[in-house]
Amino acid sequence: MTRRLWQGWRVRTGATYIAALRDGRAVYLDGERVKDVTSHAAFAEPIRRIAAIYDRAHAAEADPVLTFADPATGTRHSTMWLVPRSAEDLGTRRRVHRFWAEPSYGLMGRTPDHVACVLTAFAAWRQLFDRGGVRFGDSVVRFYERARDEDLYLAYAIVPPQVDRSQPAHRHPEPFLHPGVVRETDGGIVVRGAQAIATSATMADWLFLSYITPLVPGDEDYAISLVVPMNAEGLRLYPRRPYATTATSVFDYPLSSRFDEVDTTVVFNDVVVPWEQVFVYRDVDRVNAQFHETPSHTLANFQSLVRFGVKLEFMAGLALRLAEVQTAEGDPNVQATLGGELAALCAAFDALVRAAERFPLISGGVARPHPQYVYAGMALQRRLIVDMLRTLRELAGGAFQAVPSSEAAFTSEETRANTERYYRSAAAPARERVKLVKLVWDFVGTEFGGRQLQYEMFYSAAQPVVNRRMFHAYDWQAAKAMVSRCLGEY
Ligand SMILES: Cc1cc2nc3c(=O)[nH]c(=O)nc-3n(C[C@H](O)[C@H](O)[C@H](O)COP(=O)(O)OP(=O)(O)OC[C@H]3O[C@@H](n4cnc5c(N)ncnc54)[C@H](O)[C@@H]3O)c2cc1C
């Protein structure tokens, strides 16, 4: 019975996930090699959070929203690997993305369901990779099936470091500052160079490496798309400062201490990549086309928008709770602010996500979330988050600064009485009020909060890049026709 169940379900457990991370990966923090990410203070808690979600997913394997049955084998897999064929399938994907986003309140962007979108879209559109040779399409599909069957967690690094944005990779001061192929071997290729940011790399199983920034003729050495396990020989992971290590307690830094997904620079020191892990090889056109000709970009960013919607709801909730604790929620001006500057934006954003899902573009048997709504969401995201953060700050006034330096103020015999008397509000005892204020500050003002804003501004691309995508995604014909009709009327 146990054996049959194991064969029937392919959603991994948290323990399996954690065990897989003890693979000898080369993570360097403050100049020293990290022996085991799963027990290191910088990574252990975020890893534990991801493991807990895997456990919840595993426990809900029969749930038709969280898993789907492979028509060929009957085996159930996580819905993050479902190739969407219809609006209903996209709705199912939206729910699985929410399932992954809600535990971190939308603060972890690169949960396993993000890069799963990319691989799923690649496999659903293998014809693009076949054009470079059928073996490449085979590699894409085989790796997708493996990732789906083992429920793997992938991070990706697809934007190169800012060496010289005015020059293509092949015109940099030295070759292979950006990742490229230094030579071929019988079994594969040897890759050298660095890619700027792979969020979550330290806690993922595999890395997808390629370029989303356009390559040009002459960049052939750099025109690659491939996957490597995180413990590949020669692959080094250099995280930025992880916020969990500087968070003094969960009470004082409730988000920094638990939800930092740690952005990481990845360096390839002549990493040997077997051919079966290579999807595109020395092919500028294919690299440039892979995210947009396939449904990859819209599917992955659909996940980003669903996740962002969760975060907006969380923000709105924080603002309302802040107003309640300050006994301001009955004030008509505060109600107008909460309604017009928070609730309206949350509702409008939710409508965009649902429109992207309900009106897909279906071609080649695959449903893409409608690009017009995906890119509208992405183009508006920066404004929404900045507006909402400002509103939260407006509501808080000086609250963030008028708090005890740490939770210890509540336990010290010397300070407890003053702390409990003078930090309370009419609606909440001091501990409850301070707990909330510190939570909101970790969202808007700490180093973790600042990184969150930068993430929303740049997780995909600089604003002009996103805006240009929206320009091309919008159906201008109807707008143009209306102007022509109007001009023709008189
Ligand atoms: C928190 C965070 C997490 C991220 N996670 C990931 C990840 O998991 N995987 C991944 O692959 N990437 C990730 N990224 C990287 C992200 O994809 C890039 O930051 C994004 O695409 C923008 O590229 P860039 O940082 O190189 O900025 P640039 O493209 O260099 O843009 C910076 C500024 O310079 C301007 N600019 C750019 N080029 C020129 C030019 N030629 N002339 C004049 N101005 C110019 C832009 O308009 C912009 O204002 C992450 C980024 C952040 C901030």
Side-chain angles (χ1 to χ4, degrees):
M1 181 66 178
T2 312
R3 185 145 180 248
R4 252 193 57 222
L5 275 177
W6 184 83
Q7 286 177 334
W9 310 113
R10 291 293 175 86
V11 179
R12 82 204 297 198
T13 63
T16 322
Y17 159 63
I18 289 178
L21 297 178
R22 298 193 186 108
D23 59 359
R25 59 191 54 206
V27 179
Y28 284 82
L29 200 55
D30 302 329
E32 287 184 11
R33 186 156 178 169
V34 173
K35 284 197 189 73
D36 176 1
V37 286
T38 68
S39 58
H40 191 288
F43 313 104
E45 186 55 25
I47 286 172
R48 209 178 63 76
R49 300 263 143 200
I50 295 289
I53 310 176
Y54 273 123
D55 276 336
R56 282 182 53 207
H58 183 79
E61 280 163 327
D63 185 327
V65 169
L66 296 178
T67 60
F68 70 100
D70 181 342
T73 62
T75 305
R76 296 197 77 83
H77 303 281
S78 167
T79 309
M80 70 173 87
W81 304 106
L82 172 72
V83 175
R85 309 282 180 198
S86 62
E88 287 66 38
D89 286 349
L90 289 175
T92 307
R93 290 193 66 93
R94 173 173 53 77
R95 291 185 198 99
V96 84
H97 295 322
R98 267 200 83 97
F99 174 86
W100 276 92
E102 281 178 353
S104 74
Y105 312 99
L107 297 166
M108 293 173 112
R110 301 297 197 226
T111 42
D113 53 325
H114 183 76
V115 181
C117 298
V118 175
L119 271 186
T120 304
F122 281 4
W125 212 265
R126 65 166 291 164
Q127 54 270 38
L128 176 129
F129 303 92
D130 285 343
R131 291 207 298 272
V134 173
R135 66 184 172 131
F136 292 113
D138 285 345
S139 295
V140 167
V141 171
R142 278 202 209 102
F143 187 77
Y144 158 76
E145 287 171 352
R146 175 176 177 187
R148 180 198 62 189
D149 291 355
E150 297 178 20
D151 207 10
L152 292 177
Y153 186 173
L154 278 97
Y156 68 178
I158 54 173
V159 177
Q162 295 163 321
V163 176
D164 181 350
R165 284 283 183 264
S166 70
Q167 294 298 328
H170 74 278
R171 293 231 185 97
H172 282 165
E174 287 174 36
F176 306 117
L177 292 175
H178 291 178
V181 185
V182 284
R183 61 179 182 278
E184 279 184 34
T185 67
D186 288 346
I189 59 176
V190 178
V191 177
R192 183 184 301 166
Q195 208 66 310
I197 305 177
T199 299
S200 292
T202 50
M203 55 186 191
D205 302 299
W206 282 68
L207 180 73
F208 170 66
L209 176 81
S210 193
Y211 291 82
I212 195 167
T213 45
L215 300 181
V216 299
D219 280 340
E220 284 72 17
D221 287 346
Y222 302 87
I224 49 176
S225 178
L226 52 87
V227 285
V228 287
M230 220 54 92
N231 65 351
E233 185 75 35
L235 176 62
R236 283 191 168 201
L237 309 180
Y238 293 116
R240 55 133 171 89
R241 177 190 295 278
Y243 307 132
T245 49
T246 49
T248 44
S249 76
V250 176
F251 182 87
D252 290 310
Y253 296 95
L255 306 176
S256 313
S257 58
R258 299 184 298 156
F259 301 121
D260 181 16
E261 54 186 348
V262 191
D263 313 295
T264 299
T265 296
V266 293
V267 172
F268 283 67
N269 285 324
D270 290 8
V271 175
V272 177
V273 184
W275 282 118
E276 56 271 21
Q277 290 164 216
V278 179
F279 302 160
V280 178
Y281 181 58
R282 295 177 57 81
D283 189 334
V284 168
D285 290 344
R286 217 75 60 223
V287 165
N288 286 344
Q290 65 187 331
F291 295 108
H292 296 284
E293 186 185 317
T294 75
S296 152
H297 203 254
T298 42
L299 265 191
N301 285 302
F302 182 65
Q303 179 273 341
S304 298
L305 299 187
V306 173
R307 192 264 322 151
F308 186 66
V310 171
K311 188 178 194 172
L312 293 186
E313 286 171 29
F314 183 54
M315 280 175 92
L318 288 176
L320 179 64
R321 187 71 196 123
L322 204 53
E324 285 170 356
V325 164
Q326 291 168 337
T327 59
E329 82 280 12
D331 181 283
N333 289 330
V334 171
Q335 286 179 352
T337 301
L338 290 172
E341 293 178 31
L342 295 165
L345 301 186
C346 287
F349 203 81
D350 187 49
L352 272 179
V353 171
R354 283 167 194 274
E357 162 194 325
R358 290 286 295 281
F359 308 111
L361 291 187
I362 301 181
S363 65
V366 185
R368 298 170 194 236
H370 200 296
Q372 172 170 300
Y373 302 113
V374 171
Y375 296 128
M378 292 171 74
L380 293 173
Q381 213 166 347
R382 277 174 171 81
R383 280 188 243 164
L384 296 192
I385 186 96
V386 171
D387 286 355
M388 288 179 72
L389 284 172
R390 196 188 55 236
T391 303
L392 257 182
R393 282 177 178 263
E394 295 279 8
L395 285 168
F400 302 134
Q401 282 63 47
V403 286
S405 59
S406 81
E407 189 181 12
F410 288 101
T411 49
S412 157
E413 285 302 320
E414 295 276 337
T415 56
R416 192 173 62 213
N418 275 177
T419 307
E420 284 178 353
R421 179 173 165 81
Y422 294 113
Y423 289 100
R424 70 184 175 183
S425 81
R431 197 180 168 84
E432 194 181 315
R433 178 179 164 273
V434 169
K435 186 177 182 187
L436 174 72
V437 170
K438 282 180 179 272
L439 170 63
V440 179
W441 181 240
D442 212 7
F443 193 98
V444 305
T446 59
E447 200 173 349
F448 174 89
R451 182 268 177 196
Q452 285 287 323
L453 175 58
Q454 205 67 9
Y455 182 82
E456 302 305 351
M457 292 174 70
F458 280 101
Y459 74 81
S460 165
Q463 181 83 59
V465 178
V466 177
N467 288 353
R468 280 195 295 274
R469 288 208 175 103
M470 183 60 207
F471 176 82
H472 294 296
Y474 187 65
D475 180 5
W476 292 97
Q477 290 314 315
K480 270 172 66 179
M482 212 184 314
V483 172
S484 299
R485 182 161 59 80
C486 180
L487 287 171
E489 276 173 1
Y490 53 89

